[in-house]
Every structure is written in structure tokens, then in C-alpha cells.
Coordinates of all heavy atoms in Angstrom, one line a residue:
M1 N 108.8 71.5 -12.7 CA 109.5 71.2 -11.5 C 109.6 72.5 -10.7 O 109.8 73.6 -11.1 CB 110.9 70.8 -11.9 CG 111.8 70.5 -10.7 SD 113.4 69.8 -11.3 CE 114.1 69.6 -9.8
M2 N 109.3 72.3 -9.4 CA 109.3 73.5 -8.4 C 110.8 73.9 -8.1 O 111.7 73.1 -8.0 CB 108.6 73.1 -7.1 CG 107.2 73.1 -7.2 SD 106.5 72.9 -5.6 CE 105.3 71.7 -5.9
N3 N 110.9 75.2 -7.8 CA 112.2 75.7 -7.4 C 112.3 75.5 -5.9 O 111.4 75.2 -5.2 CB 112.4 77.1 -7.8 CG 111.5 78.1 -7.1 OD1 111.3 78.0 -5.9 ND2 110.9 79.0 -7.9
T4 N 113.5 75.6 -5.4 CA 113.8 75.3 -4.0 C 113.0 76.3 -3.1 O 112.5 75.8 -2.0 CB 115.3 75.5 -3.7 OG1 116.0 74.7 -4.6 CG2 115.7 75.1 -2.3
L5 N 112.9 77.5 -3.4 CA 112.2 78.5 -2.6 C 110.7 78.2 -2.5 O 110.1 78.3 -1.5 CB 112.5 79.9 -3.0 CG 111.9 81.1 -2.2 CD1 112.3 80.9 -0.7 CD2 112.3 82.4 -2.7
Q6 N 110.2 77.8 -3.7 CA 108.8 77.4 -3.7 C 108.5 76.2 -2.8 O 107.5 76.2 -2.1 CB 108.4 77.2 -5.2 CG 106.9 77.0 -5.4 CD 106.5 77.0 -6.8 OE1 107.4 77.0 -7.7 NE2 105.3 77.0 -7.1
D7 N 109.4 75.2 -2.9 CA 109.3 74.1 -2.0 C 109.4 74.5 -0.5 O 108.6 73.9 0.3 CB 110.5 73.1 -2.3 CG 110.3 72.3 -3.6 OD1 109.1 72.2 -4.0 OD2 111.3 71.8 -4.1
E8 N 110.3 75.4 -0.2 CA 110.5 75.8 1.2 C 109.2 76.5 1.7 O 108.8 76.3 2.8 CB 111.7 76.7 1.3 CG 112.0 77.1 2.7 CD 113.3 77.7 2.9 OE1 114.1 77.8 2.0 OE2 113.6 78.2 4.0
L9 N 108.6 77.3 0.9 CA 107.4 78.0 1.3 C 106.3 76.9 1.5 O 105.6 77.0 2.5 CB 106.9 79.0 0.2 CG 107.7 80.3 0.1 CD1 107.3 81.0 -1.2 CD2 107.5 81.2 1.3
Q10 N 106.2 76.0 0.7 CA 105.2 74.9 0.9 C 105.4 74.1 2.1 O 104.5 73.8 2.9 CB 105.1 74.0 -0.3 CG 104.5 74.6 -1.5 CD 104.1 73.6 -2.6 OE1 104.9 72.7 -2.9 NE2 103.0 73.8 -3.3
Q11 N 106.7 73.8 2.4 CA 107.0 73.0 3.6 C 106.7 73.8 4.9 O 106.1 73.3 5.8 CB 108.5 72.6 3.6 CG 108.8 71.6 2.6 CD 110.3 71.4 2.3 OE1 111.1 72.1 2.9 NE2 110.6 70.5 1.4
R12 N 107.0 75.1 4.9 CA 106.7 75.9 6.0 C 105.2 76.1 6.3 O 104.7 76.0 7.4 CB 107.4 77.3 5.9 CG 108.9 77.2 6.0 CD 109.5 78.5 5.9 NE 110.9 78.5 6.0 CZ 111.6 79.5 6.5 NH1 111.1 80.6 7.0 NH2 112.9 79.4 6.5
L13 N 104.5 76.3 5.2 CA 103.0 76.6 5.3 C 102.3 75.3 5.7 O 101.1 75.3 6.2 CB 102.5 77.2 4.1 CG 103.0 78.6 3.8 CD1 102.5 79.2 2.5 CD2 102.7 79.6 5.0
A14 N 102.9 74.1 5.5 CA 102.3 72.9 5.9 C 102.0 72.8 7.4 O 101.2 72.1 7.8 CB 103.2 71.7 5.4
A15 N 102.7 73.7 8.1 CA 102.5 73.7 9.6 C 101.0 74.1 9.9 O 100.5 73.8 11.0 CB 103.5 74.7 10.2
L16 N 100.4 74.8 9.0 CA 99.0 75.2 9.2 C 98.0 74.0 8.8 O 96.8 74.2 8.9 CB 98.6 76.4 8.4 CG 99.4 77.7 8.8 CD1 99.2 78.8 7.8 CD2 99.0 78.1 10.2
E17 N 98.5 72.9 8.5 CA 97.7 71.7 8.1 C 96.6 72.1 7.1 O 95.4 71.8 7.3 CB 97.1 71.1 9.4 CG 98.2 70.6 10.3 CD 97.6 70.0 11.6 OE1 96.4 69.9 11.7 OE2 98.4 69.5 12.4
P18 N 97.0 72.6 6.0 CA 96.1 73.0 5.0 C 95.4 71.9 4.2 O 96.0 70.8 4.0 CB 96.9 73.9 4.0 CG 98.3 73.3 4.1 CD 98.4 72.9 5.5
E19 N 94.1 72.1 3.9 CA 93.4 71.1 3.0 C 93.9 71.4 1.6 O 93.9 70.5 0.8 CB 91.9 71.3 3.2 CG 91.4 70.9 4.5 CD 89.9 70.9 4.6 OE1 89.2 71.0 3.6 OE2 89.4 70.8 5.7
T20 N 94.1 72.6 1.3 CA 94.6 73.0 -0.1 C 95.7 74.0 0.1 O 95.6 74.9 1.0 CB 93.5 73.7 -0.9 OG1 92.4 72.8 -1.0 CG2 94.0 74.1 -2.2
L21 N 96.8 73.8 -0.6 CA 97.9 74.8 -0.6 C 98.5 74.9 -2.0 O 99.0 73.9 -2.5 CB 99.0 74.3 0.4 CG 100.3 75.2 0.4 CD1 100.0 76.6 0.8 CD2 101.3 74.6 1.4
I22 N 98.4 76.1 -2.5 CA 99.0 76.4 -3.9 C 99.9 77.5 -3.7 O 99.6 78.6 -3.2 CB 97.8 76.7 -4.9 CG1 96.8 75.6 -5.0 CG2 98.5 77.1 -6.2 CD1 95.6 76.0 -5.7
V23 N 101.2 77.3 -4.1 CA 102.2 78.3 -4.1 C 102.6 78.5 -5.5 O 103.2 77.6 -6.1 CB 103.4 77.9 -3.2 CG1 104.5 79.0 -3.2 CG2 103.0 77.7 -1.8
H24 N 102.4 79.7 -6.0 CA 102.7 80.0 -7.4 C 103.8 81.0 -7.5 O 103.7 82.1 -6.9 CB 101.4 80.6 -8.1 CG 101.7 81.0 -9.5 ND1 102.0 80.1 -10.6 CD2 101.8 82.2 -10.1 CE1 102.2 80.8 -11.7 NE2 102.1 82.1 -11.4
D25 N 104.9 80.7 -8.2 CA 106.0 81.6 -8.4 C 105.7 82.5 -9.5 O 105.6 82.1 -10.7 CB 107.3 80.8 -8.6 CG 108.5 81.6 -8.7 OD1 108.4 82.9 -8.8 OD2 109.6 81.1 -8.7
D26 N 105.5 83.8 -9.2 CA 105.2 84.8 -10.3 C 106.3 85.7 -10.5 O 106.2 86.8 -11.1 CB 103.9 85.6 -9.8 CG 103.2 86.3 -10.9 OD1 103.2 85.8 -12.0 OD2 102.6 87.4 -10.6
S27 N 107.5 85.3 -10.2 CA 108.7 86.1 -10.3 C 109.0 86.6 -11.7 O 109.4 87.7 -11.9 CB 109.9 85.4 -9.7 OG 109.7 85.1 -8.4
A28 N 108.8 85.7 -12.7 CA 109.2 86.1 -14.0 C 108.4 87.3 -14.5 O 108.9 88.1 -15.3 CB 108.9 84.9 -14.9
A29 N 107.1 87.4 -14.1 CA 106.3 88.5 -14.5 C 106.8 89.9 -13.9 O 106.3 90.9 -14.4 CB 104.8 88.3 -14.1
H30 N 107.6 89.8 -12.9 CA 108.0 91.0 -12.2 C 109.5 91.3 -12.3 O 110.1 92.2 -11.7 CB 107.7 90.9 -10.7 CG 106.2 90.8 -10.5 ND1 105.4 91.9 -10.4 CD2 105.4 89.7 -10.3 CE1 104.2 91.5 -10.2 NE2 104.2 90.2 -10.1
A31 N 110.2 90.5 -13.1 CA 111.7 90.6 -13.3 C 112.1 92.0 -13.7 O 111.5 92.6 -14.6 CB 112.2 89.6 -14.3
G32 N 113.0 92.5 -12.9 CA 113.6 93.8 -13.3 C 112.8 95.0 -12.9 O 113.2 96.2 -13.2
H33 N 111.6 94.9 -12.2 CA 110.9 96.1 -11.9 C 111.6 96.8 -10.7 O 112.3 96.2 -9.9 CB 109.4 95.8 -11.6 CG 109.0 95.3 -10.2 ND1 109.8 95.5 -9.1 CD2 107.9 94.8 -9.7 CE1 109.2 95.0 -8.0 NE2 108.1 94.6 -8.4
A34 N 111.3 98.1 -10.6 CA 112.0 98.9 -9.6 C 111.6 98.4 -8.2 O 110.5 98.1 -7.9 CB 111.5 100.4 -9.8
G35 N 112.6 98.3 -7.4 CA 112.4 97.9 -6.0 C 112.3 96.5 -5.7 O 112.1 96.1 -4.6
S36 N 112.4 95.6 -6.7 CA 112.2 94.2 -6.5 C 113.4 93.6 -5.6 O 113.2 92.7 -4.9 CB 112.1 93.4 -7.8 OG 113.3 93.4 -8.5
G37 N 114.6 94.2 -5.7 CA 115.7 93.8 -4.9 C 116.1 92.3 -5.2 O 116.9 91.8 -4.4
G38 N 115.6 91.7 -6.2 CA 116.0 90.3 -6.5 C 115.3 89.2 -5.9 O 115.4 88.1 -6.2
G39 N 114.4 89.5 -4.9 CA 113.6 88.5 -4.2 C 112.5 88.1 -5.1 O 112.1 88.8 -6.0
G40 N 112.0 86.9 -4.8 CA 110.9 86.3 -5.6 C 109.5 86.9 -5.3 O 109.3 87.5 -4.2
H41 N 108.6 86.8 -6.2 CA 107.2 87.2 -6.1 C 106.4 85.9 -6.1 O 106.5 85.1 -7.0 CB 106.8 88.1 -7.3 CG 107.4 89.4 -7.3 ND1 106.6 90.5 -7.1 CD2 108.7 89.8 -7.3 CE1 107.4 91.6 -7.2 NE2 108.7 91.2 -7.3
F42 N 105.6 85.7 -5.1 CA 104.8 84.5 -4.9 C 103.3 84.8 -4.6 O 103.0 85.8 -3.9 CB 105.4 83.6 -3.8 CG 106.7 83.1 -4.1 CD1 107.9 83.8 -3.8 CD2 106.9 81.9 -4.8 CE1 109.1 83.3 -4.2 CE2 108.1 81.4 -5.1 CZ 109.2 82.1 -4.8
E43 N 102.4 83.9 -5.1 CA 101.0 84.0 -4.8 C 100.7 82.7 -4.0 O 101.1 81.6 -4.5 CB 100.2 84.1 -6.0 CG 100.4 85.3 -6.8 CD 99.6 85.3 -8.1 OE1 98.8 84.4 -8.4 OE2 99.7 86.3 -8.9
V44 N 100.1 82.8 -2.9 CA 99.7 81.7 -2.0 C 98.2 81.6 -1.9 O 97.6 82.6 -1.5 CB 100.4 81.8 -0.6 CG1 99.8 80.7 0.3 CG2 101.9 81.7 -0.7
T45 N 97.6 80.5 -2.2 CA 96.2 80.2 -1.8 C 96.3 79.1 -0.8 O 96.8 78.0 -1.1 CB 95.4 79.8 -3.1 OG1 95.5 80.9 -4.0 CG2 94.0 79.5 -2.7
I46 N 95.7 79.3 0.4 CA 95.8 78.3 1.4 C 94.4 78.2 2.1 O 93.8 79.2 2.4 CB 96.9 78.6 2.4 CG1 97.0 77.5 3.5 CG2 96.7 80.0 3.0 CD1 98.2 77.6 4.4
V47 N 93.9 77.0 2.2 CA 92.6 76.7 2.8 C 92.9 75.8 4.0 O 93.5 74.7 3.9 CB 91.7 75.9 1.8 CG1 90.4 75.6 2.5 CG2 91.5 76.7 0.6
A48 N 92.6 76.3 5.2 CA 93.0 75.6 6.4 C 92.0 76.0 7.6 O 91.5 77.1 7.7 CB 94.4 76.0 6.9
Q49 N 91.7 75.0 8.3 CA 90.8 75.2 9.5 C 91.5 76.1 10.5 O 90.8 76.8 11.3 CB 90.5 73.8 10.2 CG 89.3 73.9 11.2 CD 88.0 74.4 10.6 OE1 87.7 74.0 9.5 NE2 87.3 75.2 11.3
A50 N 92.8 76.2 10.4 CA 93.5 77.1 11.4 C 93.1 78.6 11.3 O 93.3 79.3 12.2 CB 95.0 77.0 11.1
F51 N 92.4 78.9 10.2 CA 92.0 80.3 10.0 C 90.6 80.6 10.5 O 90.1 81.7 10.5 CB 92.0 80.7 8.5 CG 93.4 80.6 7.9 CD1 93.6 79.9 6.7 CD2 94.5 81.2 8.5 CE1 94.8 79.8 6.1 CE2 95.7 81.1 7.9 CZ 95.9 80.4 6.7
A52 N 89.9 79.5 11.0 CA 88.5 79.7 11.5 C 88.5 80.7 12.6 O 89.3 80.7 13.5 CB 88.0 78.3 12.0
G53 N 87.5 81.6 12.5 CA 87.3 82.6 13.5 C 88.3 83.8 13.5 O 88.2 84.7 14.3
L54 N 89.1 83.8 12.5 CA 90.1 84.9 12.3 C 89.7 85.8 11.1 O 89.3 85.3 10.1 CB 91.5 84.3 12.1 CG 92.1 83.4 13.1 CD1 93.5 82.9 12.7 CD2 92.2 84.2 14.4
G55 N 90.0 87.1 11.3 CA 89.8 88.0 10.2 C 91.0 87.9 9.2 O 92.0 87.2 9.5
K56 N 90.9 88.7 8.2 CA 91.9 88.7 7.1 C 93.3 89.0 7.6 O 94.3 88.3 7.3 CB 91.5 89.6 6.0 CG 92.4 89.6 4.8 CD 91.9 90.5 3.7 CE 92.8 90.5 2.5 NZ 92.2 91.4 1.4
V57 N 93.4 90.1 8.4 CA 94.7 90.5 8.9 C 95.3 89.4 9.8 O 96.5 89.1 9.6 CB 94.6 91.8 9.6 CG1 96.0 92.2 10.3 CG2 94.2 92.9 8.7
A58 N 94.6 88.8 10.7 CA 95.1 87.7 11.5 C 95.5 86.5 10.7 O 96.5 85.9 11.1 CB 94.0 87.4 12.6
R59 N 94.8 86.2 9.7 CA 95.1 85.1 8.8 C 96.5 85.3 8.1 O 97.3 84.5 8.1 CB 94.0 84.8 7.8 CG 92.7 84.4 8.4 CD 91.7 84.3 7.3 NE 90.4 83.9 7.9 CZ 89.3 83.4 7.3 NH1 89.4 83.2 6.0 NH2 88.2 83.2 7.9
H60 N 96.6 86.5 7.6 CA 97.9 86.9 6.9 C 99.0 86.9 7.9 O 100.1 86.4 7.6 CB 97.7 88.3 6.3 CG 96.9 88.2 5.0 ND1 97.1 89.0 4.0 CD2 95.9 87.4 4.7 CE1 96.2 88.8 3.0 NE2 95.5 87.8 3.4
R61 N 98.8 87.3 9.2 CA 99.9 87.3 10.2 C 100.3 85.9 10.4 O 101.5 85.6 10.6 CB 99.4 87.9 11.5 CG 99.4 89.4 11.4 CD 99.0 90.1 12.7 NE 98.9 91.5 12.6 CZ 98.1 92.3 13.2 NH1 97.1 91.8 14.0 NH2 98.1 93.6 13.1
K62 N 99.4 84.9 10.5 CA 99.8 83.5 10.7 C 100.7 83.0 9.6 O 101.6 82.3 9.8 CB 98.5 82.6 10.8 CG 97.8 82.7 12.1 CD 96.6 81.8 12.1 CE 96.8 80.4 12.7 NZ 97.2 80.4 14.1
V63 N 100.4 83.4 8.3 CA 101.2 83.0 7.2 C 102.5 83.7 7.3 O 103.6 83.0 7.2 CB 100.5 83.3 5.9 CG1 101.4 83.1 4.7 CG2 99.2 82.5 5.7
Y64 N 102.5 85.0 7.5 CA 103.8 85.7 7.5 C 104.7 85.2 8.6 O 105.9 85.2 8.5 CB 103.5 87.2 7.7 CG 103.1 88.0 6.4 CD1 102.0 88.7 6.4 CD2 103.9 87.9 5.3 CE1 101.6 89.4 5.2 CE2 103.5 88.5 4.1 CZ 102.4 89.3 4.1 OH 102.0 89.9 2.9
A65 N 104.1 84.8 9.8 CA 104.9 84.4 10.9 C 105.8 83.2 10.5 O 106.9 83.0 11.0 CB 104.0 84.0 12.1
L66 N 105.3 82.4 9.6 CA 106.0 81.2 9.1 C 107.1 81.4 8.1 O 108.0 80.6 7.9 CB 105.0 80.1 8.6 CG 104.0 79.6 9.6 CD1 103.0 78.8 8.9 CD2 104.8 78.8 10.7
V67 N 107.0 82.6 7.5 CA 108.0 82.9 6.4 C 108.7 84.2 6.6 O 109.5 84.6 5.7 CB 107.3 82.9 5.0 CG1 106.7 81.5 4.7 CG2 106.2 84.0 4.9
A68 N 108.6 84.8 7.7 CA 109.1 86.2 7.9 C 110.6 86.3 7.6 O 111.1 87.3 7.1 CB 108.8 86.7 9.3
D69 N 111.4 85.3 8.0 CA 112.8 85.3 7.8 C 113.2 85.3 6.4 O 114.4 85.6 6.0 CB 113.5 84.2 8.6 CG 113.1 82.8 8.2 OD1 111.9 82.6 8.1 OD2 114.0 82.0 7.9
L70 N 112.3 84.9 5.5 CA 112.6 84.9 4.0 C 112.4 86.2 3.4 O 112.8 86.4 2.2 CB 111.7 83.9 3.3 CG 111.9 82.4 3.8 CD1 110.9 81.5 3.1 CD2 113.3 81.9 3.6
M71 N 111.8 87.1 4.1 CA 111.5 88.5 3.5 C 112.4 89.5 4.1 O 112.7 89.5 5.3 CB 110.0 88.8 3.8 CG 109.1 87.7 3.2 SD 107.4 88.0 3.6 CE 107.0 89.3 2.4
P72 N 112.8 90.5 3.3 CA 112.6 90.7 1.9 C 113.6 90.1 1.0 O 113.5 90.2 -0.2 CB 112.5 92.2 1.8 CG 113.6 92.7 2.7 CD 113.5 91.7 3.9
A73 N 114.7 89.5 1.5 CA 115.8 89.1 0.7 C 115.5 88.0 -0.3 O 115.8 88.1 -1.5 CB 117.0 88.6 1.6
R74 N 114.8 86.9 0.2 CA 114.5 85.8 -0.8 C 113.1 85.9 -1.3 O 112.8 85.5 -2.4 CB 114.7 84.5 -0.1 CG 116.2 84.3 0.3 CD 116.4 82.9 0.9 NE 116.1 81.8 0.0 CZ 115.8 80.6 0.4 NH1 115.8 80.3 1.7 NH2 115.5 79.7 -0.5
V75 N 112.1 86.5 -0.5 CA 110.8 86.7 -1.0 C 110.5 88.2 -0.9 O 110.5 88.8 0.2 CB 109.7 85.9 -0.1 CG1 108.3 86.3 -0.5 CG2 110.0 84.4 -0.2
H76 N 110.4 88.8 -2.1 CA 110.1 90.2 -2.2 C 108.6 90.6 -2.0 O 108.3 91.5 -1.3 CB 110.6 90.8 -3.5 CG 110.2 92.2 -3.7 ND1 110.7 93.3 -3.0 CD2 109.3 92.7 -4.6 CE1 110.2 94.4 -3.5 NE2 109.3 94.1 -4.4
A77 N 107.8 89.7 -2.5 CA 106.3 90.0 -2.5 C 105.6 88.7 -2.3 O 105.9 87.7 -2.9 CB 105.9 90.7 -3.7
L78 N 104.6 88.7 -1.4 CA 103.8 87.5 -1.1 C 102.3 88.0 -1.1 O 101.9 88.7 -0.3 CB 104.2 87.0 0.2 CG 103.5 85.6 0.6 CD1 103.9 84.5 -0.3 CD2 103.9 85.3 2.1
S79 N 101.6 87.5 -2.1 CA 100.1 87.7 -2.2 C 99.5 86.5 -1.5 O 99.7 85.3 -1.9 CB 99.7 87.8 -3.7 OG 98.3 87.9 -3.8
I80 N 98.6 86.7 -0.6 CA 98.0 85.7 0.2 C 96.4 85.7 0.0 O 95.8 86.7 0.2 CB 98.3 85.8 1.7 CG1 99.8 85.8 1.9 CG2 97.6 84.7 2.5 CD1 100.2 86.3 3.3
K81 N 95.9 84.5 -0.3 CA 94.5 84.2 -0.2 C 94.3 83.1 0.8 O 94.7 82.0 0.6 CB 93.9 83.8 -1.6 CG 92.4 83.6 -1.6 CD 91.9 83.4 -3.0 CE 90.4 83.3 -3.0 NZ 89.9 83.0 -4.3
A82 N 93.8 83.5 2.0 CA 93.7 82.5 3.1 C 92.2 82.3 3.5 O 91.5 83.2 3.8 CB 94.4 83.0 4.3
L83 N 91.8 81.1 3.3 CA 90.3 80.7 3.6 C 90.2 79.6 4.5 O 91.1 78.8 4.7 CB 89.7 80.3 2.2 CG 89.8 81.3 1.1 CD1 89.4 80.7 -0.2 CD2 88.9 82.6 1.4
T84 N 89.0 79.4 5.1 CA 88.7 78.2 5.8 C 87.9 77.3 4.8 O 87.4 77.7 3.8 CB 87.7 78.5 7.0 OG1 86.5 78.9 6.5 CG2 88.3 79.5 7.9
P85 N 87.9 76.0 5.1 CA 87.1 75.1 4.3 C 85.7 75.5 4.0 O 85.1 75.3 2.9 CB 87.2 73.7 5.0 CG 88.5 73.8 5.8 CD 88.5 75.3 6.2
D86 N 85.1 76.1 5.0 CA 83.7 76.5 4.9 C 83.5 77.7 3.9 O 82.4 77.9 3.5 CB 83.1 76.9 6.2 CG 83.0 75.8 7.2 OD1 82.9 74.6 6.7 OD2 82.9 76.0 8.4
E87 N 84.5 78.4 3.6 CA 84.5 79.5 2.7 C 84.6 79.2 1.2 O 84.6 80.1 0.4 CB 85.5 80.6 3.1 CG 85.2 81.2 4.5 CD 86.3 82.0 5.0 OE1 87.5 81.8 4.7 OE2 86.0 83.0 5.8
L88 N 84.8 77.9 0.9 CA 85.0 77.5 -0.5 C 83.7 77.5 -1.2 O 82.7 77.3 -0.7 CB 85.7 76.2 -0.6 CG 87.1 76.1 -0.1 CD1 87.7 74.7 -0.2 CD2 88.0 77.1 -1.0

């Protein structure tokens, strides 16, 4: 069962109309490490046509723009793999 924050990340990233969206909560592996501040650690793999013609930094900015208000209090770390369907 997904947690509420994981659901919220998926709902927000759905705005990019992804063909594939995987949000993995990796918080347990980072519990108690220095500087975590209590926010969650997440890995996102997203495949969307919205990334076509964009470099890696621009793709990450599109993702961060949708979740910026969750950082750093609720989301401490976000690992992003953003691809177009042609890159699979």
C-alpha cells in the first residue's frame, strides 16, 4: 500500500502525462542519516513526451516545478530519471 506522500507525488507528476511513472519511497534506507531533517527520500522514473527536445537539467526542472513546495520539509531527496518514450 502506498503512503500519502507517494500518492501525492504521483498525482502531481501525472500533469506531465507520463506513459510510465514509478515513484519509489526509499526513506527507510536513509532513516536517521545526518541532515535528512525527517523528509522522505524518493526515486522517480518518468517517461513522458513532455521531455522531448529538453536536456537533463530542463527535464528535472519540469519535475521539480510540480513538487517544489514539498521540499525540503516533506521530501528531503528526490532522485529523477526522466526519459522520452523514444529513449526506452
Side-chain angles (χ1 to χ4, degrees):
M1 182 173 177
M2 282 190 228
N3 66 44
T4 305
L5 185 52
Q6 192 170 3
D7 285 338
E8 187 169 351
L9 286 168
Q10 287 191 322
Q11 290 167 1
R12 289 181 181 211
L13 295 176
L16 296 172
E17 300 180 358
E19 292 184 14
T20 302
L21 176 58
I22 301 167
V23 178
H24 175 71
D25 185 346
D26 199 30
S27 299
H30 298 275
H33 87 15
S36 70
H41 290 242
F42 293 88
E43 295 176 4
V44 171
T45 300
I46 182 168
V47 179
Q49 193 59 41
F51 299 131
L54 300 177
K56 183 176 181 178
V57 172
R59 293 175 185 199
H60 286 210
R61 283 184 181 144
K62 283 181 94 63
V63 171
Y64 282 126
L66 295 170
V67 300
D69 63 308
L70 299 176
M71 300 178 81
R74 294 183 64 201
V75 175
H76 170 71
L78 186 63
S79 172
I80 301 168
K81 183 174 184 181
L83 305 168
T84 68
D86 294 339
E87 293 171 331
L88 291 179

